Amino acid sequence: MLRSIARIVVPVNMVSIFALASLANAQISPDLPNPIAAPNPLTATLSIFRNNMQDKIMKSAEAMPESKYSYRPTKDVRSFAEILTHVADISYYLCSNAKGEAPPASATAKGTKTEIIAYLKGAFNYCDGAYSGFTDAHLNDPADFWGFKTNKMFILTQTGNHDALHYGNLVTYLRLNGVAPSGGWF
């Protein structure tokens, strides 16, 4: 009896595993960047992750109707607009730190969807300058993280990490407002 069941269960499980593996592979784009051959693979990896998160954040900012920019699920959390502005502020701070310079002066007008998106784009473009030309050899250069002595790799990692953290917030806000977030290649 046990062998009869095993003759059915084992092949069904094997087929299921192969089917699930095929589905998992189908969800990952063949355009997924591969930093292995890059001259600076560690820096390239950090940059790929950051670019992916920032692309998703920009698409979220564009997808949310302006009338919902003031939306906050509870009174104790930031609004959608405040999250976007916060992401831009921290991007300026972290990327200026990686560049070894003072953060640029903050734009004052950030009230409308158009102004917030422009501010966010400016911050992301500024970060492009921190990542372009950066090499793996400089990842262990000293840096400061709000008084905590660390290295530049930590700062660059935190840029993508912070973006990913708040992208999760944005996805929730979008879904709570009936807006489907755009995917991306991962």
Side-chain angles (χ1 to χ4, degrees), residues 18 39 43 69 72 74-75 87 101-102 105 108 110 115 138 152 165 177 184:
F18 289 119
T43 305
Y69 262 54
R72 66 180 78 228
T74 72
K75 65 180 177 57
V87 166
E101 57 190 42
T108 55
K110 296 178 241 171
E115 292 165 341
H138 297 287
K152 299 233 177 173
L165 168 79
N177 284 283

Side-chain angles (χ1 to χ4, degrees), residues 81-146:
E82 289 167 340
I83 292 173
L84 294 174
T85 302
H86 170 72
V87 166
D89 289 342
I90 299 303
S91 291
Y92 275 122
Y93 174 80
L94 291 173
C95 290
S96 67
N97 192 317
K99 287 177 156 185
E101 57 190 42
S106 174
T108 55
K110 296 178 241 171
T112 68
K113 177 178 178 174
T114 301
E115 292 165 341
I116 291 167
I117 287 175
Y119 182 59
L120 195 57
K121 280 182 185 176
F124 290 167
N125 288 338
Y126 179 79
C127 281
D128 288 345
Y131 282 81
S132 67
F134 202 87
T135 67
D136 290 358
H138 297 287
L139 289 174
N140 203 37
D141 287 355
D144 180 87
F145 188 71
W146 281 285

Side-chain angles (χ1 to χ4, degrees), residues 22-45:
S22 296
L23 286 173
N25 286 336
Q27 293 177 4
I28 297 174
S29 170
D31 299 331
L32 182 68
N34 187 345
I36 292 172
N40 294 285
L42 300 176
T43 305
T45 299

Side-chain angles (χ1 to χ4, degrees), residues 30-65:
D31 299 331
L32 182 68
N34 187 345
I36 292 172
N40 294 285
L42 300 176
T43 305
T45 299
L46 293 171
S47 186
I48 289 166
F49 179 68
R50 178 193 68 92
N51 284 332
N52 182 46
M53 286 298 106
Q54 291 179 346
D55 180 58
K56 289 173 184 269
I57 290 169
M58 289 305 301
K59 287 178 180 172
S60 297
E62 292 162 0
M64 183 67 96

